[in-house]
Amino acid sequence: MRYHNITKDDMLNGEGLRVVLWVAGCGHACPGCHNPVTWDANGGLPFDEAAEDELFAELSKDYVSGVTLSGGDPLFPGNRADIAALCARIRQRFPDKTIWLYTGYTWEEIQNLPLLKNVDVVVDGRFVQALADSQLHWRGSANQRVIDVQRTRASQEVVLL
């Protein structure tokens, strides 16, 4: 897996103060995407031990609520195995931190992915420029949903946060 940036002290991409991992690779190519530089799966830098150490150093801070995985798309097929392993390591080491994941896939397309057992919130759906609204909380367009993953998995019906 490759990544473009680790943003520290972020308040825009999830609840609370967060660290954001911007991964490389996205096949959606949504018109109006705010981060098209991340589409190339071969772009950015390798997510190596030093990058993980940097991410975990931020997560170890008491005032950081959790991590947000964005990009690109963390669920780009080439990223899924590495994202699954990373989420498992985060959950094990930081059980009280939340994991948010932004994806262009809908919940219905990804709901059976095993990695979701370690994710707290998914913001799903492609960005649709015609539905863009800067007043929306934690999402860019009105078609996207902020989904409470564990409550959704338990009830088998989408539960919005």
Side-chain angles (χ1 to χ4, degrees):
M1 178 176 73
R2 300 180 68 81
Y3 78 107
H4 282 271
N5 191 28
I6 296 173
T7 304
K8 299 165 182 142
D9 300 331
D10 181 278
M11 295 181 359
L12 300 175
N13 296 285
E15 196 168 46
L17 198 61
R18 311 189 67 73
V19 58
V20 182
L21 175 64
W22 302 91
V23 301
C26 183
H28 304 296
C30 302
C33 173
H34 76 280
N35 215 0
V37 69
T38 64
W39 294 354
D40 181 0
N42 297 312
L45 305 164
F47 187 77
D48 56 13
E49 187 176 338
E52 185 168 305
D53 289 347
E54 180 181 350
L55 185 72
F56 283 14
E58 289 303 306
L59 281 169
S60 68
K61 296 176 179 175
D62 289 344
Y63 61 85
V64 172
S65 300
V67 64
T68 298
L69 306 171
S70 193
D73 192 331
L75 297 183
F76 179 74
N79 292 336
R80 290 183 184 188
D82 290 329
I83 288 294
L86 178 61
C87 287
R89 288 191 300 276
I90 292 169
R91 181 61 68 217
Q92 180 179 23
R93 187 159 169 192
F94 303 100
D96 297 329
K97 305 284 181 164
T98 58
I99 300 173
W100 284 49
L101 188 148
Y102 280 76
T103 182
Y105 295 99
T106 64
W107 175 258
E108 292 73 17
E109 294 171 305
I110 63 166
Q111 65 185 332
N112 295 318
L113 292 178
L115 69 87
L116 292 173
K117 69 182 177 191
N118 290 314
V119 174
D120 298 291
V121 176
V122 163
V123 181
D124 80 332
R126 295 171 56 120
F127 173 75
V128 177
Q129 197 165 17
L131 300 174
D133 182 347
S134 63
Q135 301 301 310
L136 296 171
H137 216 44
W138 301 317
R139 55 198 176 118
S141 59
N143 62 298
Q144 296 172 314
R145 299 173 290 182
V146 182
I147 299 170
D148 182 318
V149 173
Q150 299 315 314
R151 287 177 56 204
T152 296
R153 287 168 49 101
S155 71
Q156 296 298 307
E157 293 184 23
V158 172
V159 178
L160 301 179
L161 191 66

